[in-house]
Amino acid sequence: MAYDYGTIVIGGGPGGLAAAYGLAAKQKVLVVENDLWGGTCPNYGCDPKKMLYRGVEVKNAALRMNGFGISGTAKIDWPSLMAFKRSYTTGVPAGTLNGLTHAGITTLYGHAQLLGEYAVKVGSQNVTGEHIVIATGHTPRYPDIPGANLLKTSRDFLDLDQLPTSIAFIGAGYVSVELVNIAAAAGAEVHIIGHSDRLLRAFPKVATEALKPLLAKTGIHFHPNVKLTKITPLGTMTHLHADNFDLNVDMAITAMGRIANVADLGLANAGIKADTRGIPVDDHLRTAVETIYAIGDVNLKPQPKLTPVAGFEGSYVAEQILGDPTPITYPAIPNIVFGPTELAKVGVSLETAEAAPDQYTVKHNGTTHWYTYNRIQDPDAQVWTIVDKKTGRLAGAVVLASLAEDLINTFAAAIDAGEKPSDLNKIYAYPSAQSDLQYLF
């Protein structure tokens, strides 16, 4: 059978683009996108978030040094900070599209729907591909209660012309903790509404409990164990209601996690089953149909739903399609949350290690008063290291500190290299977070 394309990639985000570029030199490739070229991360996700967070970092650094050589308080100018963000995001779609065109990759804009194992409908046009890669990502989850349509999303927040006076985030995960931190630092009254008493369930409780007072110190209000029953308009405000709970805010945002973008993809036409959790795949990222792959957030793999993971899987699938028969194996995957300080983890979880004392050695260091953290007045710096007793190798780590992003990447590289604590006793630039590594075990 003759196909229009060697591979059709549905989704022009980081995962889909990695697959497309990996294939472009060897076959004819089509990428289909129905939103912004470039996907969630660079347009309305991690990249713009981190640009806004930069303002928070600078303000917090100045606040911590107040009385230690710095006087006065830095103030965030929201419209100016948003203009800084837009100076990057505005050019992402056109830049992405130009890159694809320059690489000889064909593009179509519109909603893609599978017609069978090899056929895809995009708008009124039908195309065929020997292979299909589904990289449609996630979309925000809404609560199943009356008035949920009144809620905004993180996408709305990350493109606000003016910051509302009061904002509530429904959910206590990544999105809430990161965005409330930005909003509070910029001067808004901010609330987190959690259905339990936990923040950030994906992270160890001992670390998230240490994070709570840091959030409270910035003026963030946490309302635990609240199960909203309805949301109603109240003039220009939004009213949130639950049993024994009422709150009026200028803006309410759903931050209850995300669901797989599988609706209206026509998966059943190709014999593929899926639900809001994602599309089942094997250890080659193949769906129930061998020639159709699912990568990134949309698949049901247990790996964290992160941009680097999607890119890694996209590159892997390109190699699969070109003939590499090797099952996928993942390197150590660091996770990080950018809040009033940074919280990061990698490798074996702290809970797993503490539940298996015969297998793992766990060491906790409160590092606030160590020179590295004292010089920047880090308020509650802590590091946990996990070592496998049998191999003597580093197995995991958790870092709660404003320098966490530096340390966690070092720990991830060490885990991938199979290094022991003694292997980390190297000569690093001093003073730096890495120069303390030898003292953390």
Side-chain angles (χ1 to χ4, degrees):
M1 176 178 177
Y3 301 96
D4 298 321
Y5 298 94
T7 300
I8 298 173
V9 178
I10 304 175
L17 294 176
Y21 279 113
L23 292 165
K26 299 290 181 66
Q27 59 175 235
K28 189 178 180 183
V29 179
L30 168 68
V31 178
V32 183
E33 176 57 59
N34 69 343
D35 196 355
L36 296 179
W37 290 100
T40 297
C41 179
N43 283 295
Y44 48 90
C46 34
D47 288 358
K49 171 207 70 183
K50 192 69 184 293
M51 292 184 77
L52 298 181
Y53 181 73
R54 178 57 184 158
V56 179
E57 285 182 302
V58 172
K59 179 179 179 179
N60 286 348
L63 282 171
R64 289 196 299 267
M65 289 299 294
N66 217 275
F68 298 94
I70 299 295
S71 60
T73 303
K75 182 180 179 181
I76 291 177
D77 179 335
W78 184 263
S80 178
L81 184 61
M82 185 58 64
F84 170 58
K85 183 227 75 166
R86 288 172 177 161
S87 69
Y88 168 77
T89 57
T90 299
V92 168
T96 303
L97 193 55
N98 288 339
L100 289 167
T101 301
H102 183 73
I105 297 169
T106 305
T107 60
L108 279 177
Y109 184 80
H111 177 72
Q113 188 174 54
L114 297 181
L115 299 176
E117 295 184 8
Y118 305 100
V120 178
K121 181 179 181 180
V122 183
S124 60
Q125 184 175 350
N126 293 347
V127 290
T128 58
E130 186 175 0
H131 298 90
I132 297 172
V133 178
I134 301 171
T136 50
H138 269 179
T139 193
R141 180 190 300 275
Y142 285 80
D144 186 18
I145 58 174
N149 61 298
L150 297 172
L151 297 174
K152 302 297 185 181
T153 69
S154 58
R155 180 172 183 168
D156 297 309
F157 176 86
L158 291 169
D159 201 33
L160 286 171
D161 292 324
Q162 297 292 333
L163 187 68
T165 301
S166 58
I167 311 176
F169 291 81
I170 302 170
Y174 284 86
V175 172
S176 282
V177 171
E178 294 190 326
L179 298 192
V180 296
N181 177 58
I182 294 170
E189 174 193 309
V190 186
H191 302 263
I192 296 178
I193 299 172
H195 75 277
S196 72
D197 62 354
R198 283 289 305 272
L199 283 174
L200 298 166
R201 283 191 169 275
F203 285 80
K205 187 174 183 179
V206 65
T208 59
E209 287 298 309
L211 187 63
K212 278 184 182 179
L214 301 182
L215 289 165
K217 189 176 180 180
T218 65
I220 294 166
H221 306 279
F222 179 46
H223 307 280
N225 302 307
V226 173
K227 294 176 176 59
L228 292 177
T229 55
K230 66 178 179 179
I231 302 169
T232 56
L234 185 65
T236 61
M237 303 187 79
T238 301
H239 175 70
L240 306 174
H241 177 78
D243 294 338
N244 302 314
F245 177 85
D246 289 279
L247 180 66
N248 299 322
V249 291
D250 293 302
M251 177 179 284
I253 294 173
T254 181
M256 302 172 58
R258 297 171 70 83
I259 58 176
N261 259 328
V262 294
D264 301 321
L265 268 180
L267 295 175
N269 295 334
I272 299 171
K273 295 181 180 180
D275 56 31
T276 55
R277 296 172 302 156
I279 302 171
V281 293
D282 64 13
D283 59 0
H284 294 262
L285 303 185
R286 297 174 299 211
T287 66
V289 178
E290 279 200 357
T291 55
I292 300 179
Y293 299 80
I295 63 173
D297 294 359
V298 77
N299 74 29
L300 254 179
K301 295 286 284 184
Q303 277 67 32
K305 302 306 182 183
L306 302 170
T307 297
V309 175
F312 182 86
E313 291 182 346
S315 297
Y316 166 82
V317 160
E319 294 175 358
Q320 285 287 292
I321 291 173
L322 294 176
D324 184 348
T326 310
I328 191 169
T329 56
Y330 294 87
I333 302 173
N335 281 14
I336 188 165
V337 174
F338 298 96
T341 190
E342 298 172 5
L343 175 57
K345 66 171 185 174
V346 69
V348 172
S349 73
L350 189 58
E351 291 90 342
T352 297
E354 290 179 335
D358 293 337
Q359 185 176 356
Y360 298 104
T361 298
V362 178
K363 185 172 182 183
H364 170 251
N365 288 284
T367 56
T368 290
H369 300 295
W370 290 23
Y371 169 76
T372 297
Y373 304 90
N374 181 63
R375 71 177 176 82
I376 58 174
Q377 289 297 292
D378 205 327
D380 193 9
Q382 303 179 56
V383 181
W384 292 261
T385 55
I386 302 165
V387 174
D388 187 306
K389 288 184 175 181
K390 183 177 180 180
T391 64
R393 295 174 177 174
L394 179 66
V398 177
V399 184
L400 179 69
S402 57
L403 301 175
E405 59 187 288
D406 296 327
L407 269 184
I408 209 66
N409 284 329
T410 302
F411 284 135
I415 291 171
D416 283 337
E419 293 186 332
K420 300 178 179 180
S422 58
D423 295 322
L424 294 173
N425 188 11
K426 303 172 183 177
I427 298 176
Y428 299 94
Y430 179 88
S432 66
Q434 284 80 2
S435 63
D436 293 329
L437 285 170
Q438 61 185 305
Y439 308 115
L440 292 173
F441 299 91

